[in-house]
Amino acid sequence: MTNALEHIAIIMDGNGRWALKRGLPRTAGHQKGGETLITICKAARRMGIKYMTVYAFSTENWKRPPAEVSFLMKLFEVYLDKYTKQLVEDGIRVIFIGNRDMLDSSLVQKMNELEQKTSMNNETTLQVCLNYGSRDEIIHAVQKAATLIKNGDILPQNIDEKTFSDMLYTKGIPDPDILIRTSGEKRLSNFLLWQLAYTEFFFTDTLWPDFTPEELAQIIETYQTRERRYGKV
Ligand code: FPP
């Protein structure tokens, strides 16, 4: 019996090191990383993966040098412009999670447009975490729960794992079966802390821009041989 697999989450790490190794500016690594994301997304769709969640920008990433932050913000806009048509045609639904308040209105507009244009796609959902932090998400959910209790809409004892999950940004998306972090780092970095409770973790030394569909297939193969103690079935 093989393990059920519908959702893969990825921490796309190592863009900067990929560029430095080639004597290029870090931004070149982010650019190549964006292309890798498109390649992996298409491969995931071919492999029949229903959901992919990627960490594109964390709440901590604002601490990077201002020039790198503004390059990344611009790059997101460029990628949204460049790939919207293809994503629509490829049957990929894109949704963004994270706090949009701090993002440029031009970027937010493109994010909304992409979500709207791909909303009818149902082959694969790409969930992009942009200005996302898991603790921020959990605090947001606690505030929601507190407000519901205060207004008499729910009793404290009726808040269970399901109702709480539905208060998170990821409402309606099943928890990831696989987490991949590239570049040799072995940290969660405030990514999906609640949702990864029973997920199988895979760490690879490959830098994100070098990550390939073949390596993804290998990880999936290994996952199929693991015994999931607390998995879904
Ligand atoms: C981590 O590498 C990567 C990021 C913080 C950015 C991820 C962004 C992309 C892959 C660009 C495209 C994304 C979209 C949604 C179009 P790092 O800079 O931390 O690398 P390092 O650890 O080697 O310095």
Side-chain angles (χ1 to χ4, degrees):
M1 170 127 171
T2 55
N3 290 318
L5 172 57
E6 52 179 359
H7 187 175
I8 298 181
I10 308 181
I11 302 178
M12 309 179 290
D13 200 3
N15 291 347
R17 276 164 284 166
W18 181 92
L20 292 179
K21 257 173 60 181
R22 288 164 175 76
L24 298 168
R26 290 174 53 80
T27 48
H30 294 314
Q31 190 141 6
K32 180 74 167 60
E35 285 163 24
T36 302
L37 173 58
I38 299 291
T39 307
I40 294 300
C41 208
K42 288 183 180 175
R45 180 183 172 277
R46 280 197 305 277
M47 295 173 191
I49 309 296
K50 287 288 294 172
Y51 300 94
M52 248 183 62
T53 298
V54 295
Y55 211 1
F57 194 88
S58 75
T59 46
E60 287 74 31
N61 283 156
W62 296 105
K63 293 183 199 133
R64 293 190 174 210
E68 186 175 339
V69 170
S70 49
F71 178 90
L72 271 169
M73 292 297 155
K74 197 79 222 135
L75 186 72
F76 295 143
E77 290 203 36
V78 169
Y79 271 86
L80 296 194
D81 280 337
K82 191 170 168 192
Y83 290 107
T84 292
K85 191 164 172 285
Q86 224 183 87
L87 289 163
V88 173
E89 287 170 6
D90 284 345
I92 294 167
R93 175 171 72 125
V94 183
I95 50 181
F96 293 93
I97 60 168
N99 187 345
R100 297 184 195 197
D101 294 349
M102 283 158 81
L103 306 176
D104 273 359
S105 59
S106 58
L107 174 58
V108 174
Q109 197 185 332
K110 289 187 167 86
M111 289 159 62
N112 291 337
E113 255 174 49
L114 182 59
E115 283 183 331
Q116 194 263 322
K117 283 186 180 159
T118 60
S119 62
M120 301 306 280
N121 288 349
N122 54 11
E123 303 257 347
T124 294
T125 295
L126 172 64
Q127 181 167 243
V128 181
C129 301
L130 218 166
N131 195 21
Y132 171 89
S134 190
R135 289 185 173 181
D136 171 67
E137 176 186 36
I138 290 169
I139 287 172
H140 194 258
V142 170
Q143 287 171 346
K144 247 192 203 174
T147 306
L148 288 172
I149 292 169
K150 184 166 159 244
N151 295 340
D153 294 328
I154 192 166
L155 293 169
Q157 60 268 34
N158 289 342
I159 295 179
D160 56 15
E161 290 195 12
K162 170 77 173 79
T163 49
F164 191 74
S165 289
D166 286 349
M167 292 180 206
L168 297 170
Y169 298 147
T170 49
K171 175 180 178 354
I173 309 278
D175 289 342
D177 303 293
I178 291 179
L179 168 79
I180 300 169
R181 183 169 189 150
T182 56
S183 90
E185 306 295 340
K186 296 182 183 68
R187 290 185 296 278
L188 277 186
S189 303
N190 203 12
F191 186 53
L192 304 175
L193 301 179
W194 171 277
Q195 297 87 341
L196 296 175
Y198 298 112
T199 303
E200 294 288 324
F201 288 11
F202 291 84
F203 299 102
T204 168
D205 287 339
T206 306
L207 303 175
W208 174 250
D210 289 329
F211 193 75
T212 59
E214 289 71 30
E215 188 165 3
L216 178 65
Q218 261 170 29
I219 288 174
I220 292 173
E221 213 180 297
T222 310
Y223 165 78
Q224 297 298 4
T225 66
R226 283 198 190 173
E227 188 184 332
R228 289 190 83 182
R229 283 168 185 265
Y230 305 105
K232 284 164 208 159
V233 206

